[in-house]
Amino acid sequence: MLYEQIRTGGCLSYLIGCPQTCAAALIDPELHQIDRYQGLAARHGLRVRYIIDTHTHADHFTGARQLGRIFDAPVVMHRDSPAPFADLRLEDGDTLRIGDLRLVAMHTPGHTRDSMCLRIDGAVFTGDTLLIGATGRTDLPTGDAEALWDSLFNKLLKLDPATTVYPAHDYKDRCSTTIGDELATNPRLAQRDPAAFVEMMRQLNLSAPTHLTEALRTNMSGGKTIDQLLAESAATIPFLSRTELSARLAQRDNDFVILDVRERDAFEQAHIPGARHLPRGQLELRVNDAFPDPTVRILAYCEFGKISTLAAATLRELGFARAVALDGGMKAWRDEDYPIEAGPTP
């Protein structure tokens, strides 16, 4: 089996492939690693046949939907997954054929209702059901400590002790473990009594994942992340550097409009000399009155450069084909001691 483990912080994803047929699958892909997955598949000469999520992730953004389009491959999840973009839904015991490889689904609810592990000869991809020295948490949406105990002790841990375990997370730079090692050393598995295990899981008092709300929203619905929106907008517009803008101000080049899209109090406290003010939230409603000439060059800026990226992209969609955004925003402009003004627009 061809095998690549891809780490994104504490998140682990996997590219596995059949060396005889060059068929492959991606397991638990992360949104920000899409280019890397494409590069690895190309380097090994693999054709990705399946994109698989072992469960609905709450702590990172799945790249499954986008990769399914890129590789023209079905997105695979368990039957209980709420994700509308899942093309192929597995049940316990279903097998995926990846060339000469066979990947068998084990429904292991507990961390989430739709959690599943994936068995292959001598190994198992456990998602968040079993981690190295830990287990998946059960205090997030659809988590169930009693179901996790059953999935662990009546299913997963009955595999051959030599079975290699590849989890979906590890925060100590470890790559894998075995069923036998976890039975011997994992402190959570020491609680083999169901009631004691459930009580232990309920007392963990873990902090919520950083991107919990956004991750669940996008992973369950197929919607876009904020980073995706920003990246898509940034790809449609050019940017102007702070150095270039400073030079133009010094030369008194008045061939463009500087547009501050922050809220009024921020604008009046400090803004770029000569800037006009139009908050991002009112842009579409007031743009026709503010800029009757669609050929005008508009330089949008905000505090950090994100909202102005969206504003410039919107202006271009509205027909202002010369709209650009300031690279870095007002904070970077102030930090570098470029000139500022205060007060309302004259």
Side-chain angles (χ1 to χ4, degrees), residues 55 58-59 109-113 115 128-131 134-145 148 169 171 188 197 201-202 204-210 212:
H55 63 286
D59 57 354
H111 174 61
T112 62
R113 185 185 299 120
S115 289
D128 277 15
T129 299
L130 178 63
L131 308 177
T135 64
R137 61 196 297 168
T138 57
D139 59 335
L140 298 179
T142 77
D144 185 326
L148 181 61
H169 292 93
Y171 297 93
R188 294 191 191 175
F197 180 86
M201 295 302 296
R202 290 175 178 169
L204 290 178
N205 194 29
L206 301 173
S207 60
T210 303
L212 172 64

Side-chain angles (χ1 to χ4, degrees), residues 272-290:
I272 295 173
R276 295 176 59 179
H277 179 238
L278 179 55
R280 173 65 187 90
Q282 301 177 29
L283 185 63
E284 289 88 344
L285 299 178
R286 293 175 51 192
V287 70
N288 292 329
D289 293 331

